[in-house]
Amino acid sequence: MSKIVINGGKRLTGEVTVQGAKNSVLPILAAAVLCDGVCVIHNCPDLADVDTSIKILRNFGAKVDYSDKTMVIDSKGIENYEIPESLMREMRSSVVFLGGIVGRTKKAVISSPGGCELGPRPIDLHLSSLKKLGVDITEEHGYLYCDATKGIVGTEIHLAFPSVGATENIILTAATAQGVTVIHNAAKEPEISDLADFLNSAGARIYGSGSDTIYIHGVNKLSGTTHTIIPDRIVAATYMAAAAVTKGKITLLNVMPSHMVAMLSAFRESGCDINVTGKSLTITAPKNLCRVPTIRSLVYPAFPTDAGPIIISMLSLAKGTTVFVENIFENRFRYIDELNRLGAKIKTEGKVAVIEGVKALSGANCVCPDLRGGAALVIGGLAAGGSTEIQNISHIKRGYDDIVGVLQNLGADINIKE
Ligand code: UD1
């Protein structure tokens, strides 16, 4: 089993081009299933979750070619509408393929995604919304059987919570439905707008993405198209935190600062100097990081839950105490015990983490419990004196395209050992 080994304490400097967003590329690959023609998708990051998506697409019968971060998908041959259980287990967000395949073939069979490392992640909002659009769904022996052969018809849907995945599945199912679908209390994340932009470039008529009311006027057919995935705002924040804890100065190229307002505000409050020029951003670490009194994760445009582990890891080295309140997922603090092994002083109770800043971290062995928790440990290891070994790094490969190579280029002493 491979592990990441870091000899911490090296100051990071230089430039990094930020990869395409994981949370954009997955729904857009699902959307390619709906297109009657060849889709060319640029800036596709090389991730384990993208590999799983390619397997799902090929299993449906699509032709997929992936090289140099460009994916070419020809969905003409799609006939199968099942996602095997093994692929559902590899990636919980496979559920976003449901809307794409139901829209395309009017049928789907998937195994129930169940819980994940962040706690129970129900899909009740996905299923109740698809049912409202006319998809008949039955659950048997852990499988969901979906049938929309009687037709998918637009309707008004009010989401009880602005779920990102449910909003995406509704958009995908409704894009080629009959009539108009309106999503009230829709998710407003930039990745939703990226999905709508992709579909609109293929001939869809989706209005209002980025706001809490989205209108989807169903069209008969979608064509092939070309699209570039937006930059990953969570990956950008990860490299910023890595620079901040090593007293470094780095420039990020290919970022959308307007997608990162809540995060940039937390970095600035901690004393980092951030200089934004168009689609690039330079962060200069302060001599000493200072606490940010309270950070609360909430839906966009508030502070993203996925950046919680990253900012907590950084603020474990700040002067003073920070309180972080996690409002989206129930079980997001599992990496904190591991971070404490490096000498951090963080206590958690329920959805609250109290981070008492320490002067320094020191290297230790730790185990990566989930994707962003793994990123938090890498940040801790970069700051820590001595050697840090991180095991179970397959989680990190789900969301970071060559994190080790990127950090080496910035001057870190970090390697993968088999
Ligand atoms: C997406 C992101 C994930 C991010 C999350 C929140 C992808 C591939 N993943 O996940 O990185 O952390 O948004 O920004 O884009 N919920 C229900 N019922 C549902 C659906 C969700 O109760 O049917 C709850 C969840 O349990 C959770 C909350 O809603 O507490 C947010 O989930 P959601 O916005 O759906 O997140 P995902 O789409 O799974």
Side-chain angles (χ1 to χ4, degrees):
M1 281 285 268
S2 50
K3 56 190 175 190
I4 288 179
V5 180
I6 307 171
N7 286 305
K10 305 278 183 296
R11 180 170 184 261
L12 299 194
T13 53
E15 274 183 8
V16 48
T17 301
V18 175
Q19 68 180 65
K22 170 179 91 76
N23 291 351
S24 256
V25 73
L26 303 181
I28 287 175
L29 296 181
V33 168
L34 291 166
C35 297
D36 208 11
V38 175
C39 293
V40 180
I41 302 161
H42 298 298
N43 204 27
C44 269
D46 189 0
L47 307 173
D49 278 7
V50 168
D51 287 343
T52 307
S53 302
I54 294 175
K55 288 185 204 159
I56 292 173
L57 288 167
R58 289 195 174 133
N59 191 67
F60 285 153
K63 276 198 199 134
V64 186
D65 184 66
Y66 180 41
S67 63
D68 281 342
K69 318 274 183 222
T70 293
M71 184 107 57
V72 180
I73 304 166
D74 182 351
S75 299
K76 220 182 299 136
I78 288 185
E79 278 179 358
N80 183 24
Y81 47 78
E82 269 188 55
I83 304 178
E85 191 176 349
S86 56
L87 295 178
M88 282 302 296
R89 282 193 194 279
E90 262 179 52
M91 183 176 79
R92 189 200 171 277
S93 29
S94 309
V95 72
V96 79
F97 280 87
L98 183 57
I101 197 67
V102 163
R104 170 66 190 257
T105 65
K106 307 291 174 268
K107 287 205 166 198
V109 180
I110 67 165
S111 77
S112 208
C116 78
E117 59 271 8
L118 306 183
R121 283 174 87 169
I123 55 163
D124 53 320
L125 299 171
H126 302 234
L127 301 184
S128 59
S129 306
L130 264 58
K131 283 180 187 166
K132 282 198 183 123
L133 288 165
V135 184
D136 185 43
I137 303 175
T138 47
E139 219 172 333
E140 262 172 49
H141 310 298
Y143 274 82
L144 297 168
Y145 295 87
C146 307
D147 186 336
T149 43
K150 286 189 190 139
I152 301 174
V153 183
T155 184
E156 300 231 0
I157 297 172
H158 183 276
L159 287 174
F161 180 87
S163 153
V164 174
T167 302
E168 290 164 347
N169 255 330
I170 298 167
I171 291 175
L172 291 165
T173 311
T176 53
Q178 298 161 38
V180 179
T181 300
V182 187
I183 314 175
H184 299 281
N185 201 26
K188 295 183 287 208
E189 270 68 2
E191 293 76 19
I192 302 280
S193 299
D194 205 23
L195 171 64
D197 289 347
F198 170 83
L199 284 164
N200 285 343
S201 76
R205 291 175 59 210
I206 301 164
Y207 308 98
S209 66
S211 79
D212 57 12
T213 310
I214 301 180
Y215 301 84
I216 306 137
H217 294 246
V219 296
N220 286 337
K221 211 172 133 159
L222 295 174
S223 62
T225 184
T226 299
H227 183 81
T228 301
I229 301 290
I230 58 169
D232 195 309
R233 57 201 167 103
I234 308 298
V235 169
T238 305
Y239 295 134
M240 288 173 72
V245 295
T246 59
K247 303 202 188 304
K249 175 179 181 175
I250 65 167
T251 296
L252 302 181
L253 307 174
N254 188 37
V255 282
M256 290 290 275
S258 61
H259 294 168
M260 300 177 66
V261 173
M263 292 189 284
L264 294 188
S265 151
F267 276 101
R268 285 193 170 115
E269 239 182 303
S270 74
C272 295
D273 180 60
I274 294 167
N275 206 332
V276 173
T277 339
K279 285 179 123 192
S280 78
L281 172 167
T282 299
I283 177 168
T284 311
K287 212 160 148 236
N288 294 303
L289 287 161
C290 56
R291 74 184 192 123
V292 180
T294 311
I295 304 176
R296 294 182 179 82
S297 70
L298 264 179
V299 295
Y300 190 82
F303 193 90
T305 173
D306 287 358
I310 290 151
I311 206 90
I312 286 177
S313 187
M314 178 181 99
L315 293 170
S316 73
L317 282 157
K319 190 163 186 290
T321 301
T322 298
V323 173
F324 187 97
V325 187
E326 169 55 45
N327 289 307
I328 307 292
F329 290 111
E330 276 176 32
N331 196 11
R332 211 150 191 172
F333 290 145
R334 293 191 320 150
Y335 64 93
I336 281 181
D337 282 347
E338 302 295 312
L339 209 50
N340 286 343
R341 291 170 72 102
L342 301 178
K345 267 196 174 172
I346 307 171
K347 289 196 183 104
T348 60
E349 190 162 326
K351 58 182 193 170
V352 178
V354 178
I355 305 123
E356 197 185 315
V358 295
K359 285 215 166 100
L361 299 176
S362 54
N365 291 347
C366 45
V367 179
C368 169
D370 58 65
L371 166 57
R372 305 300 169 189
L377 296 175
V378 171
I379 293 163
L382 291 169
S387 170
T388 296
E389 283 194 12
I390 306 171
Q391 287 173 25
N392 222 7
I393 57 171
S394 57
H395 289 295
I396 299 177
K397 290 179 184 162
R398 287 190 37 233
Y400 289 86
D401 188 340
D402 191 22
I403 191 170
V404 168
V406 168
L407 291 169
Q408 281 172 345
N409 280 341
L410 295 173
D413 182 346
I414 180 170
N415 287 289
I416 293 191
K417 290 240 163 78
E418 297 304 328

